[in-house]
Amino acid sequence: MKTPAVTPSRRPADAPITVFGPDFPFAYDDWLTHAAGLGQLPASRHGTEVAIVGAGMAGLTAAYELMKLGLKPVVYEASRMGGRLRSQPFEGGSGAIAELGGMRFPLSSTGFYHYVRTLGLQSRPFPNPLTPAANCTVIDLEGQTHWARTLEDLSPLFREVAQAWSDALEEGAGFTELQTAMRQRDVERVKALWNALVPRWDDRTFYDFVAQSSAFQRLSFHHREVFGQVGFGTGGWDSDFPNSMLEILRVVLTGCDENQHLIVGGVQQVPLGLWHHAPPHLVHWPQGTTLARLHHGAPRPAVKAIQRAGNGQLEVTDAWGGTRRFDAVLVTCQSWLLTTQIACEESLFSQKLWMALDRTRYMQSSKTFVMVDRPFWNDLRANGWPVMGMTLTDRLTRGTYLFDNGPDQPGVICLSYAWMSDALKMLPYDSAKRVQLALEALRKIYPGVDIASHIIGDPITISWEADPYFLGAFKGALPGHYRYNHRMYGHFMQDALPERERGIFLAGDDISFTPAWVEGAVQTALNAVWGIVRHLGGTSHPDNPGPGDWYPHIGPVALPD
């Protein structure tokens, strides 16, 4: 492909950080908002059906944009619409909700917030530790309890840990220089700096990065322990210690661990909003067309099989035995489902890609929520501090978050948010037992606070690894997985694929380089939109080249197999 005539616009060095690369520094936000749109299709293709497997954020983003371009998405969903953007209301709770999946969304996720704004939704700061939104933070480690509003309120030990983490990032990754290049959207500089880090850190774990840094080697093991247990930004890091360091670098470089907001009323409104939203500008379809109307109100049932039909199309079979044929299919479910839930014809993907899909490693995650009669945690103790705060601990609960919906409204407490081994401890238990265990742990931190007396309604819990349609919360790439990620992420570029492997596309945060963050789902969905348009004979507008137009020039660096 020729280099696009339109080059990315540069920004000042102090511009807000966004999820711009680093693997593929393409400006998805600019592409989305350009007046020329995402592309055009031959008129003969208008109304062509395209299958979308999964009605999460990736699936509905792609369906919404493909509908705008004149195609007819046919969405299949095996469980609940929204995927892991799942907001469950409490019964009779006056709008109180439990965010069972994604709940905090960094402002650097500019593609995601494009759709938040499109739908007219509101956000507000998430009550993360040591943020004004949390009011106060309580850190409980090894039986010692520390109260703080800012880092400066904590003992020197915590400030030393924070400084060591900052120093380690500079030493091991040239953090400031690379993030500045990302702020500026200096594509050549981002590529030069990041491409050098990929072979250096792909085979090494997050823990190795921390333990071998001179910044942490100057300190005690206890400093490392504190960093793992409570960390900074969103909380403890130890559940990620086995992961590839590349994955952690992407999180901090793109600002995903800071400046996070929640979506007022629940984040599930975003994917469901795309389902019901009538875009102001449509090709082919009459004004007022929505995905919901095209589907007569509901998506089609679960997909049970995908295979190549005799005429070269892709044949999709649903749970009730119905079959339909499509020129293009987009799969957005977790990749493991292609071997456990869906009979996917093996020849549709190369053996190299199957290796990547099957070796994807998903992390466990559990949450336990209760609704309370009021935000009682704001009551003041004699010393002027609130009776409770956002809590980080080495106890069973790990992270406890407090959601204030107003002084006269029911509040919500996420009693426990845990990952990996801490999440597995909860797996065998029902919601009542989980609440009991959480309350017992919190009682040791707040011996004078009767949390149970404020609980109203039934608790809400989830273990994502126990859900047969997910089998885990999100991908956590292990050392050596960069090549697998490269294969999955770049699969939308299909010109070089054999004919038997074309027409089926992949999207979702587990296909992206930023798993666990909704922006990864949005960006891979937009990659798939470009790929499907090209597969069906369409093109990008010359004034608004898309990700596939730029991919040959600034795509992720390839490591040798």
Side-chain angles (χ1 to χ4, degrees), residues 136-473:
C136 83
T137 299
V138 176
I139 296 176
D140 174 76
L141 287 176
E142 298 181 343
Q144 297 290 316
T145 304
H146 311 266
W147 292 70
R149 287 193 169 88
T150 67
L151 182 60
E152 286 67 35
D153 293 331
L154 293 170
S155 67
L157 169 70
F158 295 95
R159 295 194 291 276
E160 289 163 4
V161 169
Q163 186 61 51
W165 174 230
S166 178
D167 292 345
L169 288 171
E170 290 296 338
E171 172 193 341
F175 180 83
T176 299
E177 183 181 7
L178 179 48
Q179 194 180 65
T180 298
M182 292 169 64
R183 291 179 187 275
Q184 292 177 308
R185 301 202 167 181
D186 184 342
V187 173
E188 291 184 1
R189 192 65 182 145
V190 171
K191 291 294 294 178
L193 294 170
W194 178 254
N195 288 2
L197 292 176
V198 170
R200 180 179 175 188
W201 291 111
D202 172 44
D203 292 327
R204 299 174 66 180
T205 67
F206 180 18
Y207 185 79
D208 182 28
F209 177 91
V210 172
Q212 296 304 315
S213 69
S214 60
F216 275 97
Q217 285 190 333
R218 289 192 293 267
L219 303 174
S220 68
F221 171 77
H222 185 52
H223 286 81
R224 246 180 286 162
E225 197 173 29
V226 169
F227 178 69
Q229 292 296 312
V230 300
F232 290 95
T234 55
W237 284 101
D238 63 334
S239 59
D240 288 300
F241 274 168
N243 294 2
S244 166
M245 186 56 202
L246 287 182
E247 192 153 279
I248 307 306
L249 286 176
R250 294 185 188 104
V251 170
V252 293
L253 283 165
T254 59
C256 283
D257 63 333
E258 60 189 21
N259 296 325
Q260 295 173 336
H261 278 215
L262 57 80
I263 304 301
V264 177
V267 70
Q268 195 170 357
Q269 295 174 102
V270 182
L272 293 184
L274 294 178
W275 177 253
H276 292 288
H277 187 258
H281 304 292
L282 282 163
V283 175
H284 176 67
W285 303 109
Q287 287 300 308
T289 298
T290 66
L291 291 169
R293 290 185 181 181
L294 289 180
H295 289 78
H296 306 289
R300 297 191 64 79
V303 169
K304 290 301 180 184
I306 306 173
Q307 61 186 7
R308 184 73 66 181
N311 67 352
Q313 289 183 296
L314 291 157
E315 186 172 85
V316 175
T317 303
D318 67 33
W320 307 119
T323 62
R324 298 173 80 151
R325 292 182 176 181
F326 303 91
D327 290 332
V329 173
L330 171 58
V331 178
T332 70
C333 59
Q334 307 261 53
S335 67
W336 282 0
L337 300 186
L338 290 171
T339 51
T340 61
Q341 292 284 337
I342 299 172
C344 185
E345 186 176 318
E346 194 167 288
S347 62
L348 293 178
F349 299 118
S350 71
Q351 289 301 319
K352 287 283 191 183
L353 186 55
W354 275 116
M355 175 69 80
L357 295 170
D358 283 336
R359 296 280 69 77
T360 294
R361 173 254 201 172
Y362 290 106
M363 299 178 68
Q364 299 89 33
S365 174
S366 72
K367 290 182 180 180
T368 299
F369 289 87
V370 292
M371 180 170 59
V372 294
D373 53 5
R374 63 183 182 86
F376 66 90
W377 52 82
N378 292 327
D379 295 348
L380 297 180
R381 299 186 300 161
N383 62 4
W385 284 87
V387 299
M388 277 184 69
M390 184 279 144
T391 309
L392 295 174
T393 181
D394 54 2
R395 302 183 194 274
L396 193 66
T397 48
R398 295 306 305 269
T400 297
Y401 297 85
L402 311 173
F403 299 95
D404 184 346
N405 298 315
D408 300 321
Q409 297 295 320
V412 173
I413 303 179
C414 178
L415 290 174
S416 174
Y417 184 18
W419 303 270
M420 301 303 283
S421 58
D422 291 301
L424 289 176
K425 294 171 188 174
M426 296 292 103
L427 189 57
Y429 301 122
D430 62 16
S431 58
K433 177 67 171 178
R434 294 185 187 196
V435 171
Q436 176 190 343
L437 289 170
L439 291 177
E440 288 174 357
L442 290 169
R443 193 173 297 120
K444 296 171 184 176
I445 304 172
Y446 305 105
V449 181
D450 186 3
I451 300 173
S453 67
H454 292 279
I455 295 175
I456 55 177
D458 292 329
I460 298 174
T461 68
I462 194 164
S463 288
W464 285 101
E465 58 275 13
D467 190 315
Y469 299 110
F470 293 92
L471 305 179

